Amino acid sequence: MMPRRSLPRPRGELSAAVVELLTRAPGAAVPAATRLDPYSDDLLLTLHTCYELHYQGFAGVDENWEWDPDLLRLRGNLENQLLAALRADVPGGDDVTGELDRLLEPTRDTDGLAGFLAEQGTPDQLREYFVHRSIYHHIEADPYAWVIPRLRGQVKASLVAVEFDEFGGGRGERVHARLFADLLAGADLEPGYLHYLDTVPAPMLALVDMMSLFGLHRGLRGALVGHFATVEITSSPASRRLAELARRLLPDPACAHFYTEHVEADAVHEQVMRRDVIAGMLAAEPDQAASIVFGIQATNVLEDRFAEHVLRCWNEDRSSLREALSAPAAPV
């Protein structure tokens, strides 16, 4: 089993209280929930810390905290704050086909962050991008596994087929989270699980928290499927460009390999998610249309917020991380 990382560094009063709480035995008094900016570092790190108890956990933290009722109550309050913000920030609706079609519009791949990296990105900026994405790719397909028992028939079988590829087709060395760890090592970055959690700012925390939120709640199964479809539909063209960038800017082939692995696979996954998973889900549960749309739109909102943050920092000639990366080690 991989070594667990230590508890994260707090980013505010609530995250400090929860981090301190988790050093005690379960049953200790849980801090009261407060109203916070739902996109703040403090709220998002607190949520991420609570969610991590359902993944690998933290070194020195009693595993019984995972189902502590008072901590779950606090987490639920924070989830409601984040959900309310996401619902307020999306247009909503139930036109699933229209939302899926918009994901394939060329501007989503040529504008913004992908366009900046392709046109003027530096090796250091590409490494920064990898650091942001590391807390996502370390659990890349895990939240989607929670929706499997909530599906039936061909919908379940098709989603599991996509997950099987994400988990390496039965080969541990090909699990996508492992391939991303290899990418990090190839970029002279630390490959350890959630190593950069303290370094990644709020915009990427929001995206990863959203995945866990959707996955853990049966009532948000449509939103999780919408999010998963968004990732698979947009992945292939983006992965092609990132593979080209990695080959051009970084010497280790592992940096490009992670993305080349996604180009063909995710082109197939796009069709499976759209024709089998989403169409099948809507046939069985037509009332899930609005939830699927919400999952697509919320993903796009958070991806856009992330890109805006990174581009603003880079255009101001400063790091987009909470702590700037050190330069890669010189070759011996």
Side-chain angles (χ1 to χ4, degrees), residues 2-3 5 52 55-57 138-139 142 191-196:
M2 73 175 74
R5 67 150 286 150
E52 180 55 26
Y55 291 101
Q56 297 297 317
H138 280 310
I139 61 165
D142 293 344
Y193 180 76
L194 295 186
H195 176 84
Y196 290 106

Side-chain angles (χ1 to χ4, degrees), residues 79-99:
E79 288 176 330
N80 288 338
Q81 293 184 50
L82 179 58
L83 265 177
L86 289 172
R87 293 194 188 281
D89 286 344
V90 302
D94 58 7
D95 181 7
V96 176
T97 299
E99 292 296 330

Side-chain angles (χ1 to χ4, degrees), residues 140-142 145 162-172 174-176:
E140 180 174 350
D142 293 344
V162 176
E163 283 279 78
F164 184 66
D165 288 345
E166 298 288 337
F167 291 129
R171 294 173 58 186
R174 295 179 63 86
V175 172
H176 288 182

Side-chain angles (χ1 to χ4, degrees), residues 103-119:
L103 293 175
L104 295 173
E105 292 175 359
T107 54
R108 294 206 65 82
D109 184 44
T110 57
D111 290 349
L113 188 53
F116 182 100
L117 284 168
E119 293 172 10

Side-chain angles (χ1 to χ4, degrees), residues 48-87:
H48 196 282
T49 302
C50 291
Y51 286 144
E52 180 55 26
L53 301 175
H54 297 290
Y55 291 101
Q56 297 297 317
F58 297 101
V61 174
D62 192 308
E63 294 185 345
N64 289 309
W65 273 117
E66 180 181 6
W67 297 111
D68 181 86
D70 291 333
L71 186 59
L72 291 176
R73 191 173 297 111
L74 170 64
R75 193 193 84 191
N77 182 288
L78 302 180
E79 288 176 330
N80 288 338
Q81 293 184 50
L82 179 58
L83 265 177
L86 289 172
R87 293 194 188 281

Side-chain angles (χ1 to χ4, degrees), residues 105-323:
E105 292 175 359
T107 54
R108 294 206 65 82
D109 184 44
T110 57
D111 290 349
L113 188 53
F116 182 100
L117 284 168
E119 293 172 10
Q120 53 186 300
T122 67
D124 284 345
Q125 287 169 336
L126 186 57
R127 292 172 74 241
E128 274 197 14
Y129 177 80
F130 292 162
V131 168
H132 282 288
R133 290 288 181 188
S134 67
I135 67 165
Y136 166 86
H137 286 301
H138 280 310
I139 61 165
E140 180 174 350
D142 293 344
Y144 311 139
W146 280 318
V147 83
I148 293 171
R150 297 159 185 169
L151 305 175
R152 288 290 180 268
Q154 188 60 50
V155 178
K156 174 183 282 191
S158 297
L159 187 135
V160 168
V162 176
E163 283 279 78
F164 184 66
D165 288 345
E166 298 288 337
F167 291 129
R171 294 173 58 186
E173 74 277 9
R174 295 179 63 86
V175 172
H176 288 182
R178 166 67 184 273
L179 295 180
F180 198 81
D182 294 341
L183 172 151
L184 291 171
D188 204 17
L189 296 165
E190 290 294 332
Y193 180 76
L194 295 186
H195 176 84
Y196 290 106
L197 178 57
D198 292 325
T199 307
V200 172
M204 184 52 64
L205 281 179
L207 186 65
V208 178
D209 284 356
M210 181 196 69
M211 295 163 60
S212 298
L213 169 59
F214 289 173
L216 282 165
H217 291 269
R218 179 177 174 274
L220 293 169
R221 62 193 179 281
L224 184 69
V225 167
H227 163 71
F228 195 6
T230 303
V231 171
E232 296 301 323
I233 289 171
T234 58
S235 173
S236 186
S239 293
R240 183 176 290 106
R241 299 192 75 182
L242 286 163
E244 293 169 359
L245 279 167
R247 280 192 288 265
R248 176 161 56 87
L249 297 177
L250 299 170
D252 194 308
C255 298
H257 178 64
F258 173 82
Y259 293 107
T260 56
E261 185 79 7
H262 284 70
V263 173
E264 291 187 12
D266 288 351
V268 174
H269 294 170
E270 170 199 337
Q271 297 301 314
V272 174
M273 290 299 299
R274 183 165 187 160
R275 295 178 181 177
D276 297 336
V277 177
I278 288 184
M281 187 177 203
L282 288 174
E285 300 184 273
D287 62 334
Q288 289 296 311
S291 185
I292 293 170
V293 166
F294 172 57
I296 296 169
Q297 293 177 348
T299 302
N300 290 333
V301 162
L302 294 184
E303 286 285 6
D304 290 346
R305 287 175 63 95
F306 165 66
E308 288 165 7
H309 164 79
V310 174
L311 288 174
R312 182 170 61 253
C313 293
W314 288 352
N315 284 323
E316 295 171 359
D317 197 27
R318 60 189 176 92
S319 174
S320 61
L321 299 168
R322 289 169 58 83
E323 301 170 358

